[in-house]
């Protein structure tokens, strides 16, 4: 499968202008023969924009922003993963990412499950126990949003569900470049999957985004990486399924030893 990462800046609070950016990227990705374009976390509205603005801009998964993305997906014949604030049926607002197929039909909607600091907790409710997967371009994909990829248990869950490619829309800021340069390749290697990590660039509110969007292969190698946080970039990579599961970690697991991983941490002791 050929995919393209859109390392993008965003204009806070202006979905129509950010949708225009996404449209231009979709046209370019389609011209490169990509089956899928991945944008960053909260790419349609901005991320560090304050709880009031987030609530004002939040839409249901089938709202006007989704309709515009579906139209551009059909027009350019490319699947699109985009980040946005979702207003759930329960009235809560979620940090979400939706995948629209090349036919314009919604394929999956993922809510961020691990909320990062006051920035997330002040604006969003945490996503629940729902991790859908779908097939795109002959490979099974799942989605984790930003901070989620830093939890090995969550990525392992995707791998055990048969995911070939984990798509990660993110808004990683300085000084946490280690996530992009070290953690993302480690997640790919320890799970025998591809990890496609699409980050923001530029500055917004209190955040200085660090760029470094990348695609890591199942052997831990980095197939491509964009520059640092100052510039937009389109990064196109071909994923070869022959590289899938080159390691032995999944086969050699000892689940009988891991029960304590999901329980509350103890106080230590001898």
């Amino acid at each position: 499968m050929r995919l393209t990462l859109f390392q993008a800046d965003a204009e806070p609070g202006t979905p129509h202008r950010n949708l225009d950016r996404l449209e231009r990227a979709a046209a370019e990705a389609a011209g490169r023969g990509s089956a899928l374009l991945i944008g960053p976390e909260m790419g349609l509205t901005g991320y560090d924009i304050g709880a009031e603005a987030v609530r004002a801009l939040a839409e249901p998964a089938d709202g006007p922003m989704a309709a515009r993305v579906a139209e551009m997906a059909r027009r350019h014949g490319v699947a699109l993963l985009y980040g946005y604030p979702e207003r759930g049926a329960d009235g809560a607002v979620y940090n979400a990412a939706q995948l629209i197929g090349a036919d314009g039909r919604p394929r999956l909607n993922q809510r961020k499950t691990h909320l990062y600091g006051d920035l997330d907790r002040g604006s969003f409710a945490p996503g629940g126990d729902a991790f859908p997967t779908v097939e795109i371009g002959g490979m099974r994909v799942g989605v984790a949003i930003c901070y989620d990829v830093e939890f090995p248990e969550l990525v392992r869950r995707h791998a055990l569900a048969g995911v070939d490619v984990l798509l990660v829309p993110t808004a990683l800021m300085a000084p946490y470049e280690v996530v992009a340069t070290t953690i993302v390749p480690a997640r790919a290697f320890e799970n025998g999957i591809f990890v496609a990590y699409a980050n923001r660039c530029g500055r917004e509110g209190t955040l200085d985004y660090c760029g470094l969007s990348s695609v890591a292969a199942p052997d831990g190698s980095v197939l491509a990486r964009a520059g640092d946080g100052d510039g937009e970039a389109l990064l196109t990579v071909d994923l070869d399924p022959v590289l899938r599961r080159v390691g032995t970690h999944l086969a050699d697991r000892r689940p009988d030893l891991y029960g304590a991983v999901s329980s509350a941490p103890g106080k230590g002791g001898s």
Side-chain angles (χ1 to χ4, degrees), residues 14-241:
T14 57
H16 66 287
R17 296 182 67 86
N18 295 318
L19 283 160
D20 289 343
R21 290 173 183 264
L22 185 63
E23 173 108 43
R24 291 191 291 271
E28 176 66 24
R32 297 181 181 187
S34 292
L36 172 64
L37 174 68
I38 308 163
E41 179 182 18
M42 291 286 286
L44 295 192
T45 60
Y47 178 45
D48 188 14
I49 61 176
E52 184 176 344
V54 166
R55 291 198 66 84
L57 293 168
E59 294 183 357
D62 60 354
M65 288 188 284
R68 171 80 189 276
V69 175
E71 178 190 12
M72 70 176 75
R74 283 192 298 268
R75 180 162 52 252
H76 299 294
V78 62
L80 301 173
L81 178 67
Y82 65 96
Y84 75 108
E86 179 196 359
R87 186 177 302 281
D90 56 0
V93 175
Y94 299 91
N95 182 331
Q98 182 157 220
L99 177 60
I100 302 291
D103 58 0
R105 296 166 55 188
R107 301 298 307 278
L108 68 77
N109 190 74
Q110 181 67 57
R111 295 168 174 175
K112 189 174 186 178
T113 55
H114 296 81
L115 300 184
Y116 178 77
D118 293 339
L119 179 58
D120 271 341
R121 296 190 189 101
S123 297
F124 305 107
D129 188 3
F131 301 94
T133 67
V134 297
E135 188 173 301
I136 298 286
M139 302 182 82
R140 184 145 296 272
V141 305
V143 175
I145 300 174
C146 196
Y147 196 36
D148 287 339
V149 81
E150 298 177 41
F151 291 82
E153 302 91 343
L154 185 64
V155 181
R156 176 58 51 84
R157 177 171 176 168
H158 280 282
L160 293 174
V163 162
D164 300 301
V165 190
L166 185 63
L167 313 178
V168 186
T170 188
L172 182 70
M173 72 291 286
Y176 302 111
E177 291 89 346
V178 65
V179 177
T181 59
T182 302
I183 291 179
V184 168
R187 293 290 173 268
F189 176 66
E190 67 195 8
N191 291 290
I193 62 175
F194 293 93
V195 179
Y197 190 77
N199 197 19
R200 286 281 304 273
C201 61
R203 293 163 180 80
E204 178 185 70
T206 62
L207 303 183
D208 185 3
Y209 296 113
C210 62
L212 302 173
S213 299
S214 65
V215 179
D219 62 0
S221 63
V222 175
L223 301 180
R225 175 173 284 138
D228 62 20
D230 289 333
E232 290 195 345
L234 283 171
L235 200 65
T236 299
V237 178
D238 288 318
L239 306 186
D240 184 353

